[in-house]
Amino acid sequence: MYRTALRNVLAHKGRLLMTALAVMLGTAFVAGTMVFSDTFGKAMRENNSTSYSDVAVQVVDTAAGATASPESKSEKSPVTLTDATVQQLTALPGTASARGVVGGFTGVADKKGDLIGQAWTARGANFAPGPDGKDARYPMAEGQGPKNGKEIALDRKTADKGGYKVGDTVRVGSNGPVLEAKLTGVFTTDDPVVNSGGSLTLFDRATAQQLLLEPGRYSSIVLAAKPGTSEDTLLSQVNQKLRPEQQIEVRTGADLKAEDEQLITKSSENIRTMLLAFAGISLFVGIFIIANTFTMLIAQRTKELALLRAIGASRKQVTGSVLVEALAIGVISAGAGLVAGVGVGAGLQSLVASLDDGMPTGSLVIKPLTVVVTLLVGVLVTVLSALLPAVRAARIAPVAAMSSGDQPTSHKSLMVRNAIGSALAAAGIALVAFGASKGNADGRMPVAFGALLAVLGVFVLLPLLSRPVIALVGPVLGRLFGTPGKLARQNAVRNPRRTAATAAALTIGLTLVSGLTVIGSSLTDTVDRAVTSSMKADFRVAAANRMSLSDKVPAEIAKAPGVTASSPVTLVTWQLNGTKRDIVGLNADSLDKLVEVTMTSGSMAAAAQGQLLVDQDLAKKLGATTGSAVEVTYGDGSKGSLTVGGVYKQGGMLGGAVLANSEILKHDQQPYLNQVLVKGTGGETEALKQALKDATGANPVIEVQSRQEVRDGFSQTITFALNMMYGLLAMSVIVAILGVINTLAMSVFERKREIGMLRAIGLDRSGIKRMVRLESVVISVFGAGIGVLLGCFTAWAINGTLKSSLPDMATVVPYGQLLLFLALAGVVGLVAAFWPARRASRLDILDSIKTD
């Protein structure tokens, strides 16, 4: 029996090719994911291994980043790390040296004035030379380190990107006025900022403190231990010296390195999990192809299997022979997938490097676990997918099988299948409706489980759905394509199970693609309305990395030519009636000129009297109405009350509460400065935009954006995420195409006699080709159409669970894109039918008619 099974594999290798390719692609994705994540993780760890080579203990001022967030900005803290602190730590018995470090955001402009690299990876630090005038942390490859406020040094990569050489004038900026300085040195370093593709600018100590922090203050102090002194011993000495009530964090270099390695491992695992999820989708699609292939092969070999039963083969042996075929295909395909997976891993590594040249790379890592998992997954998926067809093959009675090669589908089995599918779909829809009605995170699990049940239910019901749905296009096919069109429709509904299995592969892919598209469109619409619908200003000025702007920027912008109204948009976090709330601040005299607010009660003019404006949602939570008082705890801990001067509808960019800047400044002299809104005398013009850029000193890290540019920025982020998802789903779509090709090719072989008869009674070769192609297109569009409907349903359900965080969110169906997906599915069906249709048209008429 086993020799027979292996001979069957060799005899049907052409028909099994697409199945093997489907398994190979799925396992290649799995192997490639594991190779890439292991390689990426190793490269990151090696890159990080030298980051703390000179650190025995690090003391960090946790309040030094107060400008980074509005909440921390509201919580002032005393200066903790100064020169005196450095001297105290230097005097410890275990300290070999103590180095004060200043760090903060600093962007570098290229010669065109554009920011080099990304804003969130642009950093500045202090050059700390020793007695010899050199800084071991930043050894100079060219020139020397900066000595005053007119000099800087750049890392090698940034200097090369900007085309700068020692002696050139370089424009650098943080969140305030731009600085033009002479490049005195180019350095190399193992600093993780640079190794990760960021830019690093060095200033002399006084300039770094003034620009990035404040005079006399350090963000951290790095200590080196004397020979014979352990890190833990030095840590204990530091903790005894520094007061525990100070806002500092003391860590050993080993702890810092271990923490970074843990973050790297977690990041690698998250990447692996995401990619494996998409690999799982490809394998899931492959299951339908494998099961369909073996079902058709067994149907074609019914008499052969019956003969084996008649001469003594047991049901167990027949089942085993089919599974041996699957095992052989699984082993070969998984092995090929493993080899291809190494190439996929290398390709992913190259792709990441091309997207971000700062990402570390290294030699490919192929762990034994990768080999075992890939081979095991490939074999198990193939064998389990063939199990049900194998069991069915063994249940066919020998006499019944030998009497006819055509075994009709059991109506009882279809009834049972339809009942199961209906129950699953009904339960899923009920769970989704329940979860969506919650409108918050509590409904996400019911929605997720319900959507899964509904999708599985529809998959089970596909044979039932195929007949009426495909019947709708029957008259159209007949009128447009004549006899080939009628025959294509009949072939598509002749075997509902086969049609469903073929269409299911595309249904899965289109469900995910259309669902992501609808969610993306809904998010884009929501963000668009939230951010720009309330913006009457012509431009907004903000830091590229979303840090707080310098308090000097609003005054410079107000003086720019063409500005008729402007206001800094500040943000503080205070307690209202005992709960922390974000409050947006604007200048009361220009509020109505810069933002669009729909008041439901009260007046915007109340802001000028120092009164609080709240949106409907916050008013409900606070139990407040126009004229009522709200208890407030300010950022400095003092308490008071504010009168609600008006209630407005959802405020979009204004958030839940608005207060005049003059009132905010009474309790917080340095609120988080989010952006500056500007209204021009002549509206939105290029002249005004240039004037605003000039007012900021053409700072490369400060953006001047119109309303449309703000809208485009958010939509580009969502589009990038969608494109990445589409790319990952492309593998499952390719596998689905292979399934269509495989099913059609085997169907042509199965219908050789029928095709021969059609040729004999006058249907020419072009008619045969048209018939097969139309059948493929019909099945593909059917599967895609069901997938689009399922995707829209799932997206609607997911959107319902986001209502609590995005109250204005509405499901937006991009009909144009969805119709494009259906059209592309038709093209896929047409392309997939090219080889089967050609093969069908070339069958010999007499040989086909006499086929047993």
Side-chain angles (χ1 to χ4, degrees):
M1 288 296 296
Y2 298 128
R3 286 197 298 270
T4 301
L6 293 176
R7 278 197 292 268
N8 280 327
V9 173
L10 296 175
H12 301 106
K13 53 182 177 293
R15 288 179 245 173
L16 293 170
L17 176 62
M18 297 302 168
T19 301
L21 281 175
V23 178
M24 187 199 76
L25 288 175
T27 52
F29 206 162
V30 172
T33 294
M34 299 182 73
V35 169
F36 169 71
S37 59
D38 290 337
T39 302
F40 180 75
K42 180 185 177 184
M44 289 291 289
R45 283 188 291 272
E46 289 178 347
N47 180 61
N48 183 64
S49 62
T50 58
S51 298
Y52 301 102
S53 58
D54 60 344
V55 180
V57 172
Q58 179 174 272
V59 183
V60 178
D61 180 357
T62 56
T67 56
S69 67
E71 186 169 345
S72 61
K73 188 71 175 167
S74 301
E75 299 172 357
K76 296 293 184 282
S77 61
V79 174
T80 57
L81 301 183
T82 63
D83 287 327
T85 314
V86 175
Q87 293 173 4
Q88 288 178 334
L89 297 179
T90 302
L92 292 175
T95 301
S97 64
R99 168 197 177 101
V101 177
V102 182
F105 168 60
T106 303
V108 182
D110 60 19
K111 293 185 177 180
K112 295 180 180 179
D114 298 325
L115 179 67
I116 297 175
Q118 302 296 330
W120 54 86
T121 59
R123 302 289 295 172
N126 61 311
F127 181 68
D132 59 354
K134 297 180 180 180
D135 187 340
R137 181 65 171 154
Y138 306 111
M140 292 294 155
E142 299 177 26
Q144 61 184 13
K147 296 180 179 180
N148 55 58
K150 294 295 184 179
E151 297 178 349
I152 63 166
L154 293 176
D155 67 272
R156 168 63 71 189
K157 291 182 179 179
T158 302
D160 290 343
K161 289 178 182 177
Y164 290 120
K165 296 179 181 179
V166 172
D168 289 347
T169 299
V170 182
R171 297 170 62 83
V172 296
S174 53
N175 59 348
V178 72
L179 171 69
E180 291 191 354
K182 180 181 178 181
L183 180 64
T184 61
V186 176
F187 61 89
T188 59
T189 179
D190 58 5
D191 192 296
V193 170
V194 177
N195 290 340
S196 299
S199 64
L200 183 59
T201 306
L202 295 183
F203 305 91
D204 70 286
R205 183 189 61 182
T207 304
Q209 289 176 333
Q210 182 176 0
L211 289 177
L212 307 179
L213 203 53
E214 60 186 58
R217 187 176 180 183
Y218 295 104
S219 52
S220 65
I221 299 175
V222 174
L223 281 71
K226 288 181 178 179
T229 302
S230 68
E231 291 185 354
D232 291 335
T233 300
L234 184 55
L235 176 69
S236 177
Q237 294 175 6
V238 172
N239 284 329
Q240 291 175 9
K241 189 68 175 178
L242 297 179
R243 297 192 305 273
E245 65 269 15
Q246 291 179 308
Q247 295 191 24
I248 59 172
E249 180 181 80
V250 185
R251 305 282 297 279
T252 64
D255 287 342
L256 293 170
K257 183 177 179 180
E259 182 179 335
D260 279 3
E261 288 186 351
Q262 186 177 5
L263 291 174
I264 291 169
T265 300
K266 184 176 180 181
S267 176
S268 299
E269 289 177 350
N270 289 339
I271 293 173
R272 174 182 292 192
T273 300
M274 182 187 70
L275 293 177
L276 284 178
F278 286 93
I281 294 170
S282 299
L283 288 170
F284 185 58
V285 172
I287 288 173
F288 289 91
I289 299 173
I290 299 165
N292 207 20
T293 299
F294 276 93
T295 298
M296 296 178 71
L297 277 175
I298 289 167
Q300 293 169 14
R301 289 161 43 201
T302 301
K303 288 187 178 181
E304 174 190 327
L305 295 175
L307 182 60
L308 290 173
R309 290 288 312 281
I311 62 175
S314 65
R315 286 186 175 183
K316 184 177 179 180
Q317 286 178 312
V318 171
T319 301
S321 68
V322 176
L323 293 180
V324 166
E325 292 182 45
L327 178 64
I329 295 169
V331 170
I332 296 170
S333 304
L338 177 62
V339 175
V342 175
V344 171
L348 287 173
Q349 188 181 26
S350 299
L351 176 62
V352 170
S354 66
L355 294 175
D356 188 347
D357 58 5
M359 282 295 176
T361 58
S363 57
L364 292 179
V365 177
I366 306 173
K367 293 183 177 180
L369 180 63
T370 301
V371 177
V372 173
V373 169
T374 303
L375 295 177
L376 195 60
V377 166
V379 170
L380 284 179
V381 166
T382 309
V383 172
L384 292 177
S385 301
L387 182 60
L388 185 58
V391 172
R392 285 177 181 166
R395 288 180 177 176
I396 300 175
V399 175
M402 285 189 287
S403 64
S404 172
D406 184 17
Q407 297 298 315
T409 302
S410 168
H411 291 290
K412 180 180 178 181
S413 65
L414 282 176
M415 289 179 62
V416 171
R417 176 172 179 156
N418 293 339
I420 294 173
S422 299
L424 288 173
I429 292 172
L431 272 175
V432 167
F434 170 74
S437 66
K438 290 278 188 180
N440 54 35
D442 295 336
R444 289 173 189 169
M445 283 304 294
V447 164
F449 189 60
L452 178 62
L453 287 180
V455 169
L456 289 176
V458 171
F459 284 162
V460 175
L461 289 173
L462 280 178
L464 178 66
L465 295 173
S466 64
R467 288 183 181 273
V469 173
I470 294 177
L472 293 175
V473 300
V476 177
L477 291 176
R479 282 196 296 269
L480 293 178
F481 303 102
T483 300
K486 295 178 181 178
L487 291 171
R489 185 196 68 81
Q490 292 172 0
N491 289 333
V493 299
R494 175 188 298 176
N495 191 328
R497 286 182 184 273
R498 181 191 304 160
T499 298
T502 307
L506 282 170
T507 299
I508 296 170
L510 267 296
T511 296
L512 296 169
V513 169
S514 58
L516 286 172
T517 302
V518 173
I519 292 173
S521 298
S522 303
L523 284 173
T524 300
D525 174 74
T526 302
V527 171
D528 180 25
R529 287 185 286 108
V531 174
T532 61
S533 62
S534 56
M535 180 177 169
K536 290 173 66 177
D538 296 316
F539 292 98
R540 79 163 190 173
V541 182
N545 64 347
R546 303 297 175 257
M547 285 185 65
S548 177
L549 288 169
S550 167
D551 55 8
K552 299 177 182 178
V553 172
E556 295 298 325
I557 288 176
K559 295 185 292 185
V563 174
T564 185
S566 67
S567 171
V569 180
T570 59
L571 188 62
V572 292
T573 303
W574 295 345
Q575 290 188 24
L576 300 180
N577 286 351
T579 304
K580 284 188 176 183
R581 304 288 182 185
D582 289 335
I583 300 174
V584 173
L586 288 105
N587 292 346
D589 58 354
S590 56
L591 183 62
D592 59 340
K593 301 174 185 176
L594 300 173
V595 295
E596 184 75 48
V597 181
T598 303
M599 304 296 297
T600 60
S601 65
S603 169
M604 289 179 64
Q609 280 78 50
Q611 296 182 353
L612 183 69
L613 305 179
V614 297
D615 72 356
Q616 292 173 313
D617 183 57
L618 182 57
K620 183 178 179 181
K621 291 177 180 177
L622 296 174
T625 57
T626 299
S628 62
V630 176
E631 294 181 359
V632 56
T633 301
Y634 302 106
D636 57 8
S638 62
K639 296 185 178 181
S641 65
L642 289 170
T643 301
V644 176
V647 178
Y648 56 89
K649 290 184 178 180
Q650 299 297 334
M653 66 180 295
L654 294 179
V658 177
L659 192 64
N661 277 324
S662 57
E663 189 69 23
I664 288 177
L665 289 173
K666 291 179 182 178
H667 306 280
D668 192 335
Q669 291 301 310
Q670 289 185 311
Y672 177 82
L673 180 48
N674 184 29
Q675 57 187 315
V676 179
L677 297 181
V678 181
K679 188 74 174 177
T681 306
E684 180 186 318
T685 64
E686 284 299 319
L688 176 59
K689 185 174 184 178
Q690 187 60 49
L692 296 176
K693 286 184 177 181
D694 294 340
T696 64
N699 194 323
V701 300
I702 295 181
E703 297 176 333
V704 179
Q705 295 178 308
S706 65
R707 278 176 291 183
Q708 184 60 46
E709 287 170 336
V710 173
R711 182 182 295 116
D712 292 343
F714 283 103
S715 63
Q716 284 173 4
T717 302
I718 296 173
T719 300
F720 176 79
L722 287 176
N723 288 339
M724 184 177 68
M725 295 294 184
Y726 292 155
L728 293 172
L729 286 172
M731 185 68 76
S732 60
V733 175
I734 292 172
V735 173
I737 294 171
L738 292 176
V740 177
I741 296 173
N742 204 31
T743 301
L744 287 173
M746 297 184 71
S747 176
V748 166
F749 180 85
E750 194 175 72
R751 300 189 330 240
K752 282 178 67 176
R753 178 180 292 175
E754 173 189 320
I755 293 171
M757 291 296 295
L758 290 172
R759 290 292 312 282
I761 61 176
L763 190 62
D764 59 12
R765 288 186 173 183
S766 63
I768 296 293
K769 287 182 181 179
R770 192 175 298 117
M771 176 188 72
V772 176
R773 288 169 183 167
L774 288 174
E775 179 185 352
S776 176
V777 170
V778 167
I779 293 175
S780 298
V781 174
F782 164 67
I786 298 296
V788 167
L789 293 176
L790 281 175
C792 292
F793 170 73
T794 304
W796 167 81
I798 293 173
N799 288 346
T801 66
L802 301 175
K803 285 288 186 182
S804 58
S805 53
L806 296 171
D808 289 340
M809 188 166 187
T811 299
V812 176
V813 181
Y815 294 103
Q817 286 180 271
L818 298 182
L819 289 174
L820 177 62
F821 293 155
L822 291 177
L824 290 176
V827 173
V828 164
L830 196 62
V831 172
F834 178 79
W835 177 60
R838 186 179 181 187
R839 183 183 179 188
S841 67
R842 292 189 171 189
L843 291 175
D844 184 86
I845 297 176
L846 295 179
D847 286 343
S848 300
I849 293 175
K850 69 179 182 180
T851 299
D852 290 331

Coordinates of all heavy atoms in Angstrom, one line a residue, residues 73 543 546-554 567-571 670-676:
K73 N 5.1 68.3 32.7 CA 5.4 69.7 32.7 C 4.7 70.4 33.8 O 5.1 71.5 34.4 CB 5.0 70.3 31.4 CG 5.4 71.7 31.1 CD 6.9 71.8 30.9 CE 7.2 73.3 30.5 NZ 8.6 73.5 30.6
A543 N 6.5 71.5 16.7 CA 7.8 70.8 16.7 C 7.5 69.4 16.0 O 6.5 68.8 16.1 CB 8.3 70.5 18.1
R546 N 6.8 66.5 18.2 CA 5.7 66.8 19.0 C 6.1 67.2 20.5 O 5.3 67.0 21.4 CB 4.7 65.6 19.1 CG 4.2 65.2 17.7 CD 3.3 66.3 17.1 NE 2.9 65.9 15.8 CZ 3.5 66.4 14.7 NH1 4.5 67.3 14.8 NH2 3.1 66.1 13.5
M547 N 7.3 67.7 20.6 CA 7.8 68.2 21.9 C 7.2 69.6 22.1 O 6.7 70.2 21.2 CB 9.3 68.2 22.0 CG 9.9 66.8 22.2 SD 11.7 66.9 22.4 CE 11.8 67.8 24.0
S548 N 7.4 70.1 23.3 CA 6.9 71.4 23.6 C 7.8 72.4 22.9 O 9.0 72.3 22.8 CB 7.0 71.7 25.1 OG 6.6 73.0 25.4
L549 N 7.2 73.5 22.3 CA 7.9 74.5 21.6 C 8.5 75.5 22.7 O 8.0 75.6 23.8 CB 7.0 75.3 20.7 CG 6.5 74.7 19.4 CD1 5.4 75.5 18.8 CD2 7.6 74.5 18.5
S550 N 9.5 76.2 22.3 CA 10.0 77.2 23.2 C 9.0 78.3 23.3 O 8.3 78.7 22.4 CB 11.3 77.8 22.5 OG 11.7 79.0 23.2
D551 N 9.0 78.9 24.6 CA 8.0 80.0 24.8 C 8.4 81.3 24.0 O 7.6 82.2 24.0 CB 7.9 80.3 26.3 CG 9.3 80.6 26.9 OD1 10.3 80.7 26.2 OD2 9.4 80.7 28.2
K552 N 9.5 81.3 23.3 CA 9.9 82.4 22.5 C 9.2 82.4 21.1 O 9.1 83.4 20.4 CB 11.4 82.5 22.3 CG 12.2 82.7 23.6 CD 13.7 82.6 23.4 CE 14.5 82.8 24.7 NZ 15.9 82.7 24.5
V553 N 8.8 81.2 20.7 CA 8.3 81.0 19.4 C 7.0 81.8 19.1 O 6.8 82.5 18.1 CB 8.1 79.5 19.0 CG1 7.3 79.3 17.7 CG2 9.4 78.8 19.0
P554 N 6.0 81.8 20.0 CA 4.7 82.5 19.8 C 4.9 84.0 19.5 O 4.3 84.6 18.6 CB 3.9 82.2 21.0 CG 4.4 80.9 21.6 CD 5.9 81.0 21.3
S567 N -2.2 82.4 18.3 CA -2.3 82.0 19.7 C -1.5 80.7 19.9 O -1.6 79.8 19.1 CB -3.8 81.7 20.0 OG -3.9 81.1 21.3
P568 N -0.7 80.7 21.0 CA -0.1 79.4 21.4 C -1.2 78.5 21.9 O -2.1 78.9 22.6 CB 0.8 79.9 22.5 CG 0.3 81.1 23.1 CD -0.4 81.8 21.9
V569 N -1.1 77.2 21.6 CA -2.0 76.2 22.1 C -1.2 75.5 23.2 O -0.3 74.7 22.9 CB -2.5 75.3 21.0 CG1 -3.4 74.2 21.6 CG2 -3.2 76.0 19.9
T570 N -1.6 75.7 24.4 CA -0.9 75.0 25.6 C -1.8 73.9 26.1 O -2.9 73.7 25.7 CB -0.7 76.0 26.7 OG1 -2.0 76.6 27.1 CG2 0.2 77.2 26.2
L571 N -1.1 73.1 26.9 CA -1.8 71.9 27.5 C -1.3 71.7 28.9 O -0.1 71.6 29.1 CB -1.5 70.7 26.6 CG -2.3 69.4 26.9 CD1 -3.8 69.6 26.7 CD2 -1.9 68.3 26.0
Q670 N 5.1 77.8 32.9 CA 5.7 77.1 31.7 C 4.8 75.9 31.3 O 5.2 74.8 31.5 CB 7.1 76.6 32.0 CG 8.1 77.8 32.1 CD 9.5 77.3 32.2 OE1 9.8 76.4 33.1 NE2 10.4 77.8 31.4
P671 N 3.6 76.1 30.8 CA 2.8 75.0 30.4 C 3.3 74.4 29.1 O 4.2 75.0 28.4 CB 1.4 75.7 30.1 CG 1.8 77.1 29.7 CD 3.0 77.4 30.6
Y672 N 2.9 73.2 28.8 CA 3.3 72.5 27.6 C 2.8 73.2 26.4 O 1.6 73.3 26.2 CB 2.8 71.0 27.7 CG 3.1 70.2 26.5 CD1 4.3 69.6 26.3 CD2 2.2 70.0 25.5 CE1 4.6 68.8 25.2 CE2 2.4 69.2 24.4 CZ 3.6 68.6 24.3 OH 3.9 67.8 23.1
L673 N 3.7 73.7 25.6 CA 3.3 74.5 24.4 C 3.2 73.5 23.2 O 4.2 73.2 22.6 CB 4.3 75.6 24.2 CG 4.1 76.5 23.0 CD1 2.7 77.0 22.9 CD2 5.1 77.7 23.0
N674 N 2.0 73.1 22.9 CA 1.8 72.1 21.9 C 2.0 72.6 20.5 O 2.7 72.0 19.7 CB 0.4 71.6 22.0 CG 0.0 70.4 21.1 OD1 0.9 69.7 20.7 ND2 -1.2 70.3 20.7
Q675 N 1.5 73.8 20.2 CA 1.5 74.3 18.8 C 1.1 75.8 18.8 O 0.7 76.3 19.9 CB 0.6 73.6 17.8 CG -0.8 73.5 18.3 CD -1.7 72.6 17.4 OE1 -1.6 72.6 16.2 NE2 -2.5 71.8 18.1
V676 N 1.3 76.5 17.7 CA 0.8 77.8 17.6 C -0.1 77.9 16.4 O 0.3 77.4 15.3 CB 2.0 78.8 17.4 CG1 1.4 80.2 17.2 CG2 2.9 78.7 18.6

